[in-house]
Every structure is written in structure tokens, then in C-alpha cells.
Amino acid sequence: PPRVRRVVVVLTDILVLAALVIMFQGAWEMAIDSLKSGWVASSVPIPYGWVYMVGPVSAGLMFIQSLIKTTGDIRGLQEAPQ
């Protein structure tokens, strides 16, 4: 039924959001630890912490996009026929 399918989609969206929070936390810790260590790339004079910032930045952007999708799915769930 359409309503059951929409409920499953919303639950899946919530799991994705939770996974992105965990990904953000891990990537943030890795980037900060790397910045504190002062480890610099040998090929270019950039601290690896800045390179590793791609993790939390991308997780944050994916979280925002998933949150937008989730709110749309919740609205669709409220409008779905019983």
C-alpha cells in the first residue's frame, strides 16, 4: 500500500540522517586530531587536517540535503491516502 511504502521511506530517511551524524562526528575528530598533530603533506605545504575537513563538510552538506528530502517525505506521508 502507498502509505506503508511512504512510512518505510521516512524511516529510511531517519536512518540516513543518523548515519550522517555518526559520519560527521568521526570525520570531525579525525580532522581535528590531524590539525593538532601538525602533520603536513609532503607534496604541498597544506596540513592534512585541512584535507581531512572534506569529511565533515561533505557529511554536513549531505545531512542538509537529506533533511530537506525527509521533510518532503513527511509532508507526503501526511497527504498520502490511507
Side-chain angles (χ1 to χ4, degrees):
R3 181 146 178 94
V4 172
R5 184 172 57 185
R6 288 183 188 244
V7 168
V8 171
V9 167
V10 169
L11 291 175
T12 304
D13 290 344
I14 292 168
L15 289 174
V16 167
L17 289 170
L20 288 170
V21 167
I22 293 167
M23 180 180 160
F24 178 87
Q25 288 174 337
W28 180 259
E29 289 175 12
M30 183 176 72
I32 295 301
D33 286 346
S34 183
L35 278 172
K36 286 180 183 176
S37 74
W39 188 29
V40 177
S42 59
S43 57
V44 290
I46 299 173
Y48 267 103
W50 291 111
V51 175
Y52 289 151
M53 278 295 175
V54 72
V57 168
S58 61
L61 292 173
M62 286 187 286
F63 184 87
I64 292 168
Q65 180 62 35
S66 295
L67 194 60
I68 292 168
K69 180 186 180 308
T70 302
T71 56
D73 290 341
I74 289 172
R75 286 188 186 124
L77 178 63
Q78 293 169 346
E79 298 166 1
Q82 300 289 338

